[in-house]
Amino acid sequence: QDALARHLSQLAELLRRHDMTAEASFAALRERLGGGDWSDPLNRLAEQLDQLEFNAAASTLAEVVELLGIDNGKSVLNADLPGPFTRES
């Protein structure tokens, strides 16, 4: 679950930065998750990314995190990440 939480954090940061690589990160996440209760929000998130609606996609990602039951989801979505996903990059 740590790897999944990190992936979600990275995607959240890309969305905050309105970074186009969010689409590739999301595609990998979608493949990793498969189907489940989060399928509808994932479909919505895909549409939002297609329309470059990064703020709406970030809200939808928060919904996905909640549906996944990630512990401390709020910190996952607000994490300052090391490496290429930090705000300073």
Side-chain angles (χ1 to χ4, degrees), residues 4 6-15 19-34 38-51 53-54 56-58 60-65 68 85:
L4 177 58
R6 178 159 171 73
H7 192 142
L8 292 163
S9 293
Q10 291 171 341
L11 179 54
E13 180 62 21
L14 292 170
L15 293 173
D19 189 319
M20 294 297 293
T21 60
E23 287 193 80
S25 178
F26 170 70
L29 176 68
R30 189 176 210 176
E31 184 176 314
R32 174 184 221 162
L33 292 177
W38 45 86
S39 292
D40 286 342
L42 286 179
N43 291 336
R44 193 167 59 248
L45 204 156
E47 291 174 19
Q48 291 162 339
L49 284 173
D50 285 346
Q51 299 297 318
E53 296 172 352
F54 292 99
T60 302
L61 182 61
E63 182 181 341
V64 171
V65 168
L68 289 170
F85 298 102

Side-chain angles (χ1 to χ4, degrees), residues 1 4-10 12-13 16 58-59 61-80:
Q1 193 173 19
L4 177 58
R6 178 159 171 73
H7 192 142
L8 292 163
S9 293
Q10 291 171 341
E13 180 62 21
R16 274 193 292 277
S59 293
L61 182 61
E63 182 181 341
V64 171
V65 168
E66 185 176 326
L67 288 169
L68 289 170
I70 299 292
D71 290 338
N72 208 1
K74 199 156 194 76
S75 69
V76 165
L77 296 179
N78 294 317
D80 285 331

